[in-house]
Amino acid sequence: MENNYKYIHLLYVPTMACNMNCKYCYLMDNTKEEKTVHTALETLNYAIEKFKKSNVIPFNISLHGGEVTTLSKKEFYDLIEFISNYYENNREIITDGGFKLGNPHIKTNLYELDKHIDTIKKFNVSISGSLDLPLKLHNKFRVTKGNVETLNKILNNIKLLEDIPNKKKVSATIFKEHIEYIDEIIEDIKFLHKNTCLDMNDFNFMIGFDYNSNGLLHHMSEEEQVEFYNRMKKEFSNTDLDYGLNGPWFDEFGPNYCTNCDNCGEKFFLLEKNGDIYSCVRGQKNKDYYYGNIYENTVEEILKTAFNKIYINHNKESFNEECSKCGYLYLCKTGCPFVKNTYKTNKSYTCKLQQKLYKDRNYEKDEYNDEFVYEYMLKMRNDDITNYVPKNNTINPSLEQIILKDNKLKYIYSNDVFILKIDNMEYKLSSQILKPIRNIVYITPKSKVTLFMKKNVINEECDYPENNSLFIMLLSGDLVTYGDEERTKQRHVMTHQIYKGVLDSIKSPKKNYYCYDITNLIKEYKDFISYENPNNLFFTTSSLRDYHYIKQKNNAYYHMQAINLPFQNIEFYYIDKELK
């Protein structure tokens, strides 16, 4: 039986304190304990209960930091016991959602692992640790806050895990400076695999960000990333570490990671001890990725803010046209918004590496790429999606098929309902999403602009014609950002309605057409439109406009393919010589 739960991945930060001073820490000066009203266990318990009351179920809870091993033995034990009991008590809900029941999990620098080894054994805690490779550089970049070297103690702590069946793995962050040490990195991977309890098939490379390394380290270029990957591939293909090479080592850049979400704000959340909720470890302590506070905001508010903020951050940089054509958008979704905005780029910072991985791992290019691009743009982008309407639309049913089956929609999209006459030239108006080319005309203060509309649109396609009206919308060519989602669109200038009784009283030179002179209407708003960009006039009836939005709400296929303003339109430049 289907449930109506929403499942999320929850990172929990029980302390901001850290015992180390890594030179490229994403938290920088925030790694110190904060005074809070509630204990770490109280906040986690409160958050879980509040989420569950709103049918939001964490299917995975991982402890992050700061550094979780800086907690006292009792605090650490109580949290791990709570998470273990949570999994057991919610076993059925989690597995019914299609998720594997896990064990308590911690992300750690491994430096104080020995302090909690008994708890780790008792609750079969899985561990994700971090090292610097090559090991010869570890003590250069990963020292304690007292500037004490850490490598030897970390290696000794790894030995404590030898007889424990827990899942344990490590990861290493790679920068440009590591390129010259590739041989040493290879040897250290072999050393750790052979001489420690670590199975180095279960290992992760991460590409480092240099925005917080004080100039000590620099991020790898896309070409260097591919060079690094190819070197690993040359060394470890068809060895006992082949599985890791073609699996976990580079999985962060594969299609099964967080960036494969259309909107990661729908699934991934980081909760701090003080109740603050952020996107993830990358967005932690960043206002652009702050979703609210579990003590102060409702779950509904937090979820809505999460979606909106990720949407906004994806749209800070324009959509890259390369992403619409490469065929792999369905796998990468243009990458992490945090990283894109950090480096002011509009595609994944590991784009070339990802494309290489997709090919090596036999991921096919999307057979229906045009349709996927269109659906992605509709959900995640505020660009003009008319540029992405599939030429060979395989969405079933297509927009054209939906229109043919619906008499009212036919009038919204018909190309013979409205005629615009400018001076002595007539233009039959079409829907902007069906016309093959843009219609752009020039209007001056001396132009006479007349609109003709077929009478039966009001009389026959409306239950109460006397209440129906000609509906005119004017949009400026200038762009404005507005609303919770901070969408960037043409600025709305005016809407104007002329009811049937008025239209009936105006003599028309065209048989079966209403006639309305909009010359003065355009002049009235000339100071509020653009003189650099083409402005937009839309025409429909008030009843058809309402019907369009009802259809969008009730028909998912129509909603996917029809934009907010699909009505018959014309674009125009207004040439006012007096302003020159």
Side-chain angles (χ1 to χ4, degrees):
M1 182 177 178
E2 270 191 43
N3 60 51
N4 60 346
Y5 295 119
K6 176 182 178 63
Y7 293 91
I8 65 171
H9 182 110
L10 184 65
L11 280 173
Y12 181 50
V13 179
T15 178
M16 289 300 301
C18 186
N19 44 25
M20 287 174 61
N21 185 30
C22 301
K23 302 305 181 184
Y24 48 86
C25 177
Y26 59 89
L27 286 170
M28 294 177 277
D29 296 330
N30 289 299
T31 56
K32 52 183 180 290
E33 182 56 18
E34 298 175 330
K35 290 184 179 180
T36 58
V37 175
H38 304 280
T39 67
L41 183 57
E42 286 171 345
T43 294
L44 181 58
N45 182 48
Y46 178 85
I48 294 296
E49 289 303 311
K50 190 168 181 175
F51 277 130
K52 287 184 68 178
K53 285 178 182 177
S54 294
N55 284 340
V56 177
I57 305 296
F59 67 88
N60 180 286
I61 302 173
S62 298
L63 296 184
H64 211 285
E67 171 53 44
V68 297
T69 61
T70 62
L71 293 168
S72 70
K73 287 185 177 182
K74 181 175 182 355
E75 286 179 304
F76 185 83
Y77 181 96
D78 289 346
L79 281 170
I80 296 299
E81 181 183 44
F82 174 87
I83 295 170
S84 181
N85 290 337
Y86 168 81
Y87 284 143
E88 189 56 40
N89 295 336
N90 295 277
R91 173 185 295 272
E92 186 173 343
I93 294 176
I94 294 172
T95 55
D96 281 353
F99 299 98
K100 182 180 178 181
L101 200 70
N103 294 312
H105 180 77
I106 64 171
K107 297 181 183 293
T108 172
N109 60 31
L110 301 167
Y111 189 68
E112 290 189 53
L113 195 70
D114 53 325
K115 184 168 76 174
H116 303 293
I117 197 68
D118 292 337
T119 299
I120 290 168
K121 288 181 180 179
K122 180 174 180 177
F123 293 100
N124 196 24
V125 177
S126 64
I127 294 164
S128 180
S130 52
L131 289 168
D132 263 18
L133 294 180
L135 295 176
K136 67 188 291 184
L137 294 183
H138 183 99
N139 286 330
K140 179 178 180 180
F141 297 120
R142 297 175 73 83
V143 295
T144 69
K145 291 204 167 144
N147 210 35
V148 175
E149 295 181 349
T150 62
L151 180 60
N152 287 338
K153 184 175 182 183
I154 287 172
L155 291 176
N156 286 331
N157 281 340
I158 289 173
K159 289 180 181 179
L160 298 176
L161 300 172
E162 285 182 357
D163 299 322
I164 302 174
N166 313 49
K167 181 178 175 65
K168 51 252 183 185
K169 65 183 294 184
V170 292
S171 61
T173 304
I174 304 299
F175 291 87
K176 180 187 288 285
E177 284 72 15
H178 291 95
I179 291 288
E180 62 182 289
Y181 294 101
I182 290 182
D183 290 337
E184 289 91 335
I185 291 172
I186 288 170
E187 292 306 311
D188 284 342
I189 290 173
K190 294 177 180 178
F191 168 82
L192 291 169
H193 187 60
K194 181 178 180 181
N195 298 290
T196 73
C197 63
L198 298 173
D199 178 359
M200 292 301 285
N201 276 298
D202 194 8
F203 166 75
N204 290 113
F205 281 117
M206 294 182 287
I207 306 298
F209 314 130
D210 58 14
Y211 66 93
N212 54 355
S213 67
N214 298 314
L216 293 174
L217 295 162
H218 302 86
H219 72 276
M220 301 168 72
S221 68
E222 289 192 58
E223 291 73 21
E224 287 168 335
Q225 294 167 20
V226 174
E227 175 190 347
F228 183 87
Y229 166 73
N230 284 336
R231 186 70 177 83
M232 294 298 119
K233 187 177 177 183
K234 179 180 179 182
E235 184 67 34
F236 291 105
S237 289
N238 301 315
T239 71
D240 56 349
L241 289 173
D242 182 274
Y243 173 81
L245 168 71
N246 293 293
W249 286 15
F250 295 95
D251 266 356
E252 180 177 348
F253 318 107
N256 299 317
Y257 212 66
C258 56
T259 51
N260 187 240
C261 301
D262 284 344
N263 187 314
C264 60
E266 296 180 298
K267 190 172 182 179
F268 294 90
F269 298 83
L270 180 143
L271 169 69
E272 291 186 349
K273 177 184 173 182
N274 64 4
D276 285 343
I277 296 181
Y278 294 89
S279 59
C280 61
V281 295
R282 290 176 178 174
Q284 193 176 0
K285 296 299 185 187
N286 187 310
K287 64 180 178 61
D288 290 340
Y289 298 86
Y290 172 70
Y291 298 162
N293 186 286
I294 196 66
Y295 290 112
E296 299 171 5
N297 300 100
T298 66
V299 171
E300 290 71 24
E301 288 172 337
I302 290 167
L303 297 180
K304 181 180 179 181
T305 300
F307 181 91
N308 287 343
K309 286 211 170 181
I310 294 302
Y311 179 94
I312 290 166
N313 281 297
H314 269 297
N315 282 281
K316 284 183 177 178
E317 299 291 336
S318 62
F319 183 66
N320 191 310
E321 284 301 311
E322 293 178 20
C323 299
S324 69
K325 298 177 176 64
C326 83
Y328 290 124
L329 182 66
Y330 79 106
L331 297 175
C332 90
K333 313 296 175 65
T334 77
C336 171
F338 177 86
V339 184
K340 286 190 295 187
N341 291 327
T342 295
Y343 290 120
K344 305 299 181 188
T345 182
N346 57 5
K347 65 176 183 176
S348 174
Y349 74 116
T350 55
C351 178
K352 291 183 179 178
L353 174 59
Q354 287 173 251
Q355 292 198 39
K356 175 66 173 168
L357 285 170
Y358 298 152
K359 291 175 184 176
D360 286 354
R361 297 184 181 188
N362 297 316
Y363 288 103
E364 298 289 341
K365 291 195 172 187
D366 190 358
E367 181 180 357
Y368 302 104
N369 181 65
D370 289 350
E371 286 78 9
F372 183 87
V373 170
Y374 180 78
E375 292 176 31
Y376 170 80
M377 297 295 292
L378 192 67
K379 179 177 181 181
M380 285 303 299
R381 293 289 176 164
N382 57 25
D383 305 63
D384 181 1
I385 62 169
T386 59
N387 298 324
Y388 301 96
V389 176
K391 292 182 176 62
N392 298 310
N393 194 350
T394 60
I395 297 175
N396 187 17
S398 70
L399 179 59
E400 288 81 358
Q401 291 171 324
I402 296 172
I403 294 169
L404 284 173
K405 294 180 180 179
D406 190 314
N407 285 330
K408 289 190 177 182
L409 285 183
K410 288 179 185 178
Y411 284 94
I412 293 176
Y413 294 93
S414 172
N415 60 7
D416 66 352
V417 167
F418 292 99
I419 300 172
L420 193 69
K421 185 176 181 180
I422 302 174
D423 298 322
N424 295 316
M425 290 293 294
E426 291 189 353
Y427 303 89
K428 285 189 174 182
L429 305 187
S430 304
S431 165
Q432 66 167 335
I433 64 173
L434 293 183
K435 66 177 67 173
I437 60 174
R438 295 171 71 184
N439 299 120
I440 301 179
V441 297
Y442 294 89
I443 298 175
T444 74
K446 294 183 179 181
S447 297
K448 180 176 175 60
V449 186
T450 307
L451 179 70
F452 296 95
M453 178 181 73
K454 275 193 173 178
K455 289 183 177 181
N456 64 334
V457 178
I458 277 188
N459 292 322
E460 297 180 14
E461 295 305 319
C462 177
D463 294 333
Y464 304 101
E466 287 298 324
N467 293 333
N468 202 4
S469 64
L470 166 62
F471 200 96
I472 303 172
M473 292 158 279
L474 172 62
L475 278 65
S476 167
D478 295 330
L479 302 180
V480 63
T481 301
Y482 64 94
D484 287 343
E485 295 178 353
E486 294 194 4
R487 292 192 174 211
T488 300
K489 293 186 176 181
Q490 287 185 302
R491 183 188 295 274
H492 284 257
V493 175
M494 70 86 179
T495 59
H496 191 77
Q497 292 177 259
I498 306 98
Y499 284 85
K500 179 179 183 295
V502 175
L503 295 172
D504 284 336
S505 68
I506 300 173
K507 187 176 181 179
S508 175
K510 284 185 182 291
K511 187 178 180 180
N512 298 324
Y513 278 87
Y514 285 122
C515 172
Y516 192 76
D517 189 329
I518 63 172
T519 302
N520 291 329
L521 188 64
I522 294 174
K523 284 183 179 179
E524 182 179 350
Y525 290 96
K526 70 181 181 65
D527 293 334
F528 305 98
I529 60 177
S530 175
Y531 286 87
E532 289 78 33
N533 304 306
N535 305 285
N536 221 328
L537 274 168
F538 291 91
F539 304 95
T540 187
T541 68
S542 53
S543 64
L544 288 175
R545 177 180 178 273
D546 292 343
Y547 186 74
H548 160 69
Y549 290 113
I550 291 171
K551 191 76 173 182
Q552 273 198 328
K553 181 180 179 181
N554 294 335
N555 188 309
Y557 290 112
Y558 182 71
H559 181 83
M560 287 166 57
Q561 300 172 75
I563 59 178
N564 280 338
L565 296 175
F567 312 112
Q568 291 93 333
N569 80 307
I570 197 161
E571 294 179 89
F572 70 94
Y573 284 100
Y574 194 79
I575 309 299
D576 191 344
K577 293 183 179 179
E578 296 174 356
L579 297 177
K580 299 300 182 183

